[in-house]
Amino acid sequence: HVLRDSSPPRETATIQPQQTPNEAHLVRSNLKYARKFYHGELSHIPAKKYAIVTCMDCRIDPASAFGISLGDAHVIRNAGGSAREALRSLVVSEQLLQTTEVFVIKHTHCGMMGITNEKINDTVEKNLGQEALAELNGLDWLPFADLEQGVKDDVKFLEESKAVPDGVHVSGWVYDVEDGKVHSVGK
């Protein structure tokens, strides 16, 4: 069953003089993509019933690196590929959209590895000021000291979470940004 958007048709975006170069690139690229787009009938439920939690790092292209076709899976990205931060999305993915498997994929040379909450807070205060820091008060940036242990900790977190059903399979992986390969991280 495919949900339909009942809103009126939207106008196609056009390049405007006040747009940034990146906005103009987005519009040009989208127009090219939309001309060849033929996936409008895909279900919002992932065909392969899995979700990936990975980092927002620009060196990772999950579709290419992990063989994901449009409509196959949910890809949840955040700084550090944190399962804790992704939990909200995973609950929706599992409870409303029928996923039954989760891949936690962190990567080599991650900016969240080896940094501390204090260092990030100091940077926020220096760059944005005391008010910005106060707005983010108490936020755990979820850094990790060791890559493989970080994966293991996230897998354990999901496996022990009461918000993740017992039948959901969770596995951990590391993606190497230098050679593009993944390897499994045992428990």
Side-chain angles (χ1 to χ4, degrees), residues 52-62 66 75-82 85 105-107 109-112 120 141 144 175 177:
I52 288 179
V53 175
T54 195
C55 189
M56 65 185 198
D57 192 291
C58 63
R59 297 169 291 181
I60 304 170
D61 178 359
F66 313 135
V75 178
I76 303 161
R77 299 182 76 163
N78 60 54
S82 169
E85 186 172 321
I105 307 175
K106 293 189 184 290
H107 68 92
H109 309 294
C110 182
M112 295 305 290
I120 296 170
W141 296 100
F144 52 95
Y175 172 79
V177 297

Side-chain angles (χ1 to χ4, degrees), residues 90-130:
L90 286 170
V91 169
V92 171
S93 180
E94 294 159 5
Q95 296 302 304
L96 303 178
L97 301 168
Q98 305 173 15
T99 56
T100 58
E101 188 169 7
V102 178
F103 297 93
V104 175
I105 307 175
K106 293 189 184 290
H107 68 92
T108 58
H109 309 294
C110 182
M112 295 305 290
M113 186 171 59
I115 199 162
T116 64
N117 280 329
E118 293 75 27
K119 171 66 175 158
I120 296 170
N121 287 335
D122 289 348
T123 301
V124 168
E125 184 175 24
K126 177 183 172 211
N127 293 340
L128 301 175
Q130 193 65 33

